[in-house]
Amino acid sequence: MSNPLTRHAGFRLGPIVLGTLVRHYFDRLTKKNGKVLTQLMQDELLYDEAFNIVKRFLELSTYHSVEQLQAFANNRTPSPPSVRVVRLLIPISCCDEAAAYLIEAFGGEDHAKRIVGGTKWWQVRGIAGIDAEWITTKKDWQQDKKRRTQSKKNGTTCPSAPPTNDATASPQTSSPEANSTYHSDMDELRCILYAHGGGYFFGSVDQERYSIQRHARKINGRVLAVNYRLAPQYPFPCALQDILAAFLYLIRPPPGAAHQPVNPAHIVVMGDSAGGNLILALLQVLRDTKLPMPAGGVLISPWCDFTHSFPSVHTNTDTDIIPPYGLSLQKPSPLWPPPSDEVTRIARSKLRRRIRQLILLNADGGKAEDCVSPVDSSRRSMSESIASLDEHDEDKPSGMPVDVGTTAPLPSVDEGGSQTIRLHTKSGEILTIDSQIHLYTPNSLLEHPLVSPALSYLGGLPPLIVIAGDKEVLRDEIIYCAHKAAEPSQFPVNDAARKIYPPLVGIESRHQPTPVHLQVYDDAPHVLPVYFGFTTPGKFCYRAIANFIKHVTGMTTSIQPSSPDSVTSTSQPGLLTSEYEERVEDASNLQFLNALSANDGASASPDPTRSPMRPSGIRPSRVGFFRVKSSQALPSGLSTSVGKLKSGKRVSLPETRSTSQASQPGVHYAGEASVYCNQAGQSWKEGIIRERVSTRGEIRPLEPKEQLDAFSVPSSMIGVLSERTLRRYMDGKALFDNRFRKDMAATEKLRRRNTDLAKKEFSKVILHLREPRDGKDKVKASTLDPSNGSWGWAWALDEDEKPPPSSIVSRRDTDEALRLARVADQAFLQNDVCLSGNNLWTTFMNLISSGSETNRSHSVWETGTR
């Protein structure tokens, strides 16, 4: 049976395509319908069609349940024959190692229990590891294998020679066997660790497969793409543990792993939207636990502020693909919205009692005490919880584009899990929200630095390239975070952030600013290269990302012809070395410098076919991390805001760009290698490169900060919820409550049925356990170690473990949770009380995965774990 969302979207696709086609030309002639038109929409019909399809689909998806959306995004997407895909499970040992580092980053076990509700519940998972895929183009690793084989015959070493366009390369095969195993020749390729987007509650590698494959092809490398656990079943910090485990899997492969350890200097971490948020969180954890840093990070439209403090969230709704009410509202289902705090408390208490009975911790097998701890601290007074607009009138800048009204802080983590938010308006009205707003995390953690990086300290990270669309709703928070990373001293961290995330205490003295390359694409929506990579700016965006990756990982990057018609690369760059800092061959160095010379001489000799001359006095140089050197000057007119360079001197480069045609000197495009070299031939090391990219790929300076809406928001209003934000959510919730009133009633009825069924089945288990036994089980039960988070039920035995209301581990009111309980009961009845939690979930997966691959892809259980 097909997914209802698939049928709904299919029925609407035809009218959307036809209607957009008519309006595309009609609006250009009349312009009377008031529709907001961007230049990119007017220039490219295909973009106009795709934008309306994606925008309408995301709106339609809110009228379906989270389960249906997850199943839709989890459908298998085939790869072309030219791509090699190797599916794997990152083992539990990596997950356990990641959990230890994550607890350290949280400030220890006691602090982790206070902030995220424990150290064990978020380690439970639906499969025996993390679903991931190696993705690379067959041509790249086959050519690399051929070169290394030839080098061995010649008695030389060529671990990472440049790929070629040799038509005699090994033939490609599309047989399933070719994609089933990891080949050792892939070890020499540069590596991207990729986290997909989807608001943390939907999405998968399959959803973004073609975008990921394109990144692999652009750098002639490989990608490890991760299907991390999804909310609301697995809320924060589940996804963070998964991506950290994947990074550890790369640099410290466990016994039996097919790949060799990857040099961190050859790894770039990348993510889009929620995946970009996850990458920022990962980099902070690596920094704060002193783990090796990757060579760089690529952030594509990262979600940086879960409190929606910035103006573009309200001003760019019509020009972006994000639904008008955000990503917080879905059709009701047993999975979402979660039960109330009171229902969660009772269910958690009963589940603890049940687990204690099952493992015979109670001597009489009878009742267990209520394990819910009282609230340690009292609720703040109403006067402390409410912030009025009058408090911000004196520092509110006149340039702020929207009036957001009064603001209210988030509930404290010490308020016993309360989700309640109250706000007083200037008119005296009280706005109250009692439900969880975002699917990813409770309201009390929306301001956590690992959830909202806009509130964190972002210095001390590896070089970043940050991509933002000028017409997306997240534009302002992305621009703000990019500057905050490059200039952390200008954006102090507040005391509340230091209190909730201890590594921020005194962090300014331990870390330096982060090198940042910020690109803002004109007229572009959210995640430009993911959904709109076929557009002209999308193609230039891929080139810019590939150029950055080649630079930070020590690969040569030949400058391509600057022409709006020359969007794709005409020559393939290659790896300089396989080691972090190794001597470059004379020929390779000469080729790179000649390319720079050719570009620099464009103004003097506009003929692109002129043979470049080698500059005098150039000697081979060592190339390593941010050390690609040459004596060539930057092309005239290149705009780059940079900090200190290798020599320690500050170099001011021209701040203007010509907007003339490509045939004239001074026009430069996104993706040119020269952006990372200054006039003295030194490589960019610190500071921020600020660029705007036109719809034709031309780059020009980004406006000064005082002219950007991102910096019109007072610091006191960042990290709190504004009246405008709350009203938007409340209006949307009222609309959904009215539309789905009957569905909500049916959902509550289904929840009660599942709960009653769980009680009946539990009674049968208790009766069985009361039968006489030989005492063998008690011995086995005594060997259980509740302190081991990898044991699936350990959290239930710890009174300090308080999973969030949406977490699947403490619920019995959904079909998914009920199936888990049945497997748990079966395991205990078979006297296998020492069965680990991960093996328990694996047993369940085997039971429900016996059908065909097609049926498995539609399983609600599987989609919940991806």
Side-chain angles (χ1 to χ4, degrees):
M1 183 177 179
S2 63
N3 191 314
L5 178 56
T6 304
R7 297 195 302 269
H8 193 182
F11 290 146
R12 297 295 184 92
L13 179 62
I16 292 175
V17 172
L18 182 59
T20 302
L21 177 63
V22 174
R23 289 194 302 270
H24 178 79
Y25 295 103
F26 182 77
D27 291 343
R28 296 176 66 179
L29 296 175
T30 62
K31 298 183 180 180
K32 294 180 180 180
N33 63 349
K35 178 184 176 181
V36 178
L37 288 177
T38 64
Q39 188 64 42
L40 186 57
M41 281 186 178
Q42 297 181 42
D43 291 344
E44 300 191 24
L45 171 62
L46 189 57
Y47 168 76
D48 197 4
E49 292 279 10
F51 176 87
N52 283 280
I53 291 173
V54 174
K55 185 176 181 66
R56 185 55 180 156
F57 170 79
L58 291 178
E59 292 178 3
L60 290 175
S61 69
T62 62
Y63 301 149
H64 293 262
S65 66
V66 173
E67 294 93 328
Q68 293 172 353
L69 182 54
Q70 288 180 350
F72 179 89
N74 196 45
N75 285 326
R76 290 294 185 195
T77 304
S79 296
S82 61
V83 176
R84 183 181 183 89
V85 177
V86 181
R87 294 185 172 89
L88 70 145
L89 278 181
I90 297 173
I92 291 297
S93 59
C94 294
C95 302
D96 293 341
E97 187 180 5
Y101 282 112
L102 199 52
I103 293 172
E104 177 186 347
F106 282 135
E109 289 192 6
D110 292 340
H111 201 270
K113 291 178 179 179
R114 172 177 168 263
I115 300 301
V116 298
T119 61
K120 300 165 188 169
W121 68 262
W122 43 268
Q123 298 190 49
V124 178
R125 60 186 62 250
I127 55 178
I130 304 169
D131 182 29
E133 297 181 16
W134 283 111
I135 300 174
T136 186
T137 56
K138 295 179 182 178
K139 178 184 64 176
D140 292 331
W141 69 266
Q142 288 174 344
Q143 289 182 347
D144 187 78
K145 176 183 178 181
K146 184 178 180 180
R147 287 190 302 271
R148 291 192 296 111
T149 301
Q150 186 64 36
S151 298
K152 291 180 180 179
K153 291 181 179 179
N154 298 336
T156 61
T157 59
C158 183
S160 53
T164 65
N165 289 323
D166 186 4
T168 64
S170 301
Q172 299 172 356
T173 174
S174 59
S175 64
E177 292 77 14
N179 285 349
S180 60
T181 58
Y182 183 92
H183 200 285
S184 59
D185 295 308
M186 295 166 61
D187 284 332
E188 301 299 334
L189 302 176
R190 293 302 197 260
C191 182
I192 297 174
L193 176 61
Y194 197 94
H196 66 79
Y200 278 113
F201 68 93
F202 72 99
S204 67
V205 174
D206 286 288
Q207 176 181 280
E208 301 183 14
R209 180 171 304 281
Y210 296 114
S211 175
I212 297 172
Q213 291 169 176
R214 191 169 177 180
H215 286 300
R217 176 171 57 85
K218 282 290 186 180
I219 68 164
N220 309 109
R222 51 180 167 156
V223 178
L224 180 64
V226 180
N227 280 313
Y228 52 84
R229 287 171 291 171
L230 298 177
Q233 306 98 306
Y234 301 96
F236 173 79
C238 293
L240 181 54
Q241 183 200 8
D242 289 356
I243 198 67
L244 178 57
F247 184 78
L248 295 174
Y249 176 75
L250 287 175
I251 65 173
R252 303 173 185 172
H259 71 285
Q260 295 297 314
V262 184
N263 187 342
H266 294 169
I267 300 174
V268 169
V269 291
M270 181 188 301
D272 65 272
S273 191
N277 175 284
L278 190 57
I279 292 300
L280 271 177
L282 169 67
L283 293 176
Q284 292 182 74
V285 171
L286 296 179
R287 175 196 65 192
D288 299 332
T289 56
K290 298 181 175 58
L291 283 167
M293 281 287 190
V298 179
L299 308 177
I300 303 172
S301 298
W303 192 0
C304 300
D305 176 29
F306 273 66
T307 63
H308 298 321
S309 307
F310 293 88
S312 59
V313 171
H314 309 290
T315 60
N316 283 357
T317 302
D318 293 336
T319 55
D320 199 10
I321 59 176
I322 303 299
Y325 297 109
L327 296 176
S328 300
L329 300 171
Q330 296 288 144
K331 177 183 177 180
S333 68
L335 191 59
W336 183 264
S340 64
D341 294 339
E342 180 64 18
V343 172
T344 300
R345 184 190 68 82
I346 296 174
R348 189 186 299 148
S349 176
K350 291 182 177 180
L351 185 57
R352 283 199 172 98
R353 184 183 306 126
R354 174 174 183 257
I355 298 304
R356 291 190 175 193
Q357 292 178 2
L358 288 175
I359 64 172
L360 307 180
L361 288 183
N362 289 327
D364 58 358
K367 297 182 178 180
E369 69 279 6
D370 193 332
C371 301
V372 179
S373 303
V375 179
D376 296 329
S377 59
S378 60
R379 185 181 300 273
R380 292 172 295 176
S381 64
M382 181 65 69
S383 60
E384 294 175 338
S385 302
I386 304 298
S388 67
L389 184 61
D390 296 335
E391 296 176 341
H392 302 295
D393 282 343
E394 58 185 17
D395 61 351
K396 177 182 177 181
S398 59
M400 196 167 180
V402 293
D403 181 11
V404 297
T406 58
T407 61
L410 298 167
S412 170
V413 295
D414 295 320
E415 293 185 356
S418 173
Q419 304 288 325
T420 303
I421 299 172
R422 291 187 179 89
L423 180 143
H424 277 179
T425 66
K426 294 184 66 173
S427 62
E429 182 184 1
I430 300 179
L431 303 181
T432 303
I433 294 179
D434 295 318
S435 59
Q436 181 175 325
I437 296 177
H438 289 291
L439 285 78
Y440 181 49
T441 192
N443 296 343
S444 59
L445 291 180
L446 294 180
E447 60 182 349
H448 194 283
L450 296 182
V451 175
S452 293
L455 303 172
S456 186
Y457 178 87
L458 299 180
L461 305 182
L464 304 175
I465 183 170
V466 184
I467 306 296
D470 188 56
K471 298 301 182 180
E472 69 171 304
V473 296
L474 303 184
R475 179 199 61 198
D476 291 343
E477 60 196 70
I478 296 171
I479 294 175
Y480 178 86
C481 281
H483 286 79
K484 188 170 188 176
E487 304 166 345
S489 60
Q490 299 184 21
F491 304 89
V493 179
N494 60 49
D495 293 336
R498 299 181 197 273
K499 183 178 180 181
I500 201 172
Y501 188 56
L504 294 181
V505 177
I507 195 172
E508 292 84 357
S509 61
R510 300 193 298 268
H511 299 287
Q512 298 298 317
T514 299
V516 176
H517 184 182
L518 171 64
Q519 287 189 327
V520 181
Y521 284 76
D522 289 346
D523 294 342
H526 191 53
V527 291
L528 169 66
V530 177
Y531 292 132
F532 309 101
F534 54 84
T535 63
T536 300
K539 294 174 182 178
F540 277 105
C541 185
Y542 274 103
R543 290 177 59 183
I545 292 173
N547 179 50
F548 172 84
I549 295 175
K550 293 167 188 174
H551 177 67
V552 298
T553 58
M555 300 169 67
T556 56
T557 312
S558 300
I559 298 178
Q560 307 299 328
S562 296
S563 170
D565 298 325
S566 178
V567 178
T568 57
S569 177
T570 57
S571 64
Q572 297 195 27
L575 299 174
L576 284 177
T577 66
S578 63
E579 300 298 326
Y580 184 63
E581 289 187 1
E582 192 172 14
R583 183 72 62 181
V584 181
E585 297 293 332
D586 288 348
S588 299
N589 200 32
L590 176 60
Q591 181 183 9
F592 176 61
L593 294 178
N594 283 345
L596 286 174
S597 177
N599 189 78
D600 185 39
S603 58
S605 179
D607 183 6
T609 62
R610 181 181 63 87
S611 300
M613 299 297 294
R614 178 176 178 173
S616 60
I618 297 302
R619 294 179 298 173
S621 61
R622 293 178 61 87
V623 179
F625 182 64
F626 275 101
R627 293 177 63 182
V628 181
K629 296 183 179 180
S630 95
S631 65
Q632 297 305 306
L634 281 172
S636 60
L638 180 63
S639 170
T640 311
S641 251
V642 351
K644 296 180 180 179
L645 297 170
K646 197 70 179 178
S647 62
K649 299 180 180 179
R650 184 172 295 275
V651 181
S652 298
L653 299 177
E655 288 297 334
T656 59
R657 286 187 194 272
S658 170
T659 57
S660 58
Q661 298 298 321
S663 60
Q664 300 178 4
V667 178
H668 300 282
Y669 293 84
E672 292 183 359
S674 57
V675 72
Y676 299 125
C677 291
N678 73 337
Q679 295 179 352
Q682 296 169 319
S683 180
W684 169 64
K685 183 183 178 183
E686 291 184 2
I688 180 170
I689 301 174
R690 308 168 72 252
E691 295 175 335
R692 272 196 179 274
V693 184
S694 73
T695 57
R696 300 182 62 193
E698 301 168 348
I699 52 179
R700 65 186 189 277
L702 186 65
E703 298 88 340
K705 288 195 293 186
E706 56 270 16
Q707 298 180 18
L708 298 174
D709 292 342
F711 302 99
S712 66
V713 184
S715 59
S716 58
M717 298 180 69
I718 299 176
V720 295
L721 293 174
S722 68
E723 177 183 344
R724 191 184 187 98
T725 299
L726 288 184
R727 288 193 182 278
R728 186 184 74 157
Y729 173 79
M730 295 175 68
D731 290 345
K733 190 173 186 303
L735 180 65
F736 274 65
D737 289 345
N738 182 65
R739 181 186 182 103
F740 299 111
R741 184 180 295 107
K742 294 182 180 180
D743 296 274
M744 193 64 213
T747 294
E748 292 298 333
K749 183 177 180 180
L750 181 58
R751 285 177 174 175
R752 289 193 297 269
R753 188 198 69 178
N754 289 336
T755 303
D756 293 340
L757 185 58
K759 291 179 181 178
K760 294 179 181 179
E761 295 183 353
F762 174 65
S763 300
K764 296 178 182 179
V765 174
I766 294 299
L767 289 175
H768 179 83
L769 292 176
R770 285 177 177 174
E771 296 178 358
R773 283 166 289 176
D774 57 7
K776 182 179 179 180
D777 292 342
K778 293 184 179 181
V779 176
K780 296 175 70 175
S782 64
T783 64
L784 294 174
D785 182 11
S787 64
N788 184 4
S790 64
W791 182 52
W793 296 119
W795 71 269
L797 304 178
D798 191 336
E799 296 184 4
D800 294 327
E801 293 284 326
K802 300 179 177 64
S806 69
S807 175
I808 194 66
V809 301
S810 63
R811 297 180 65 177
R812 290 298 175 266
D813 59 350
T814 70
D815 293 336
E816 185 176 346
L818 187 59
R819 291 195 293 269
L820 171 62
R822 290 169 180 164
V823 176
D825 295 342
Q826 181 182 10
F828 282 111
L829 292 174
Q830 292 175 350
N831 296 328
D832 194 9
V833 295
C834 287
L835 185 66
S836 72
N838 294 304
N839 289 335
L840 181 67
W841 289 64
T842 303
T843 302
F844 174 75
M845 285 299 297
N846 291 335
L847 290 176
I848 67 172
S849 301
S850 58
S852 64
E853 181 70 14
T854 302
N855 292 334
R856 188 168 69 90
S857 68
H858 290 285
S859 169
V860 173
W861 178 268
E862 186 185 13
T863 55
T865 63
R866 296 191 51 176

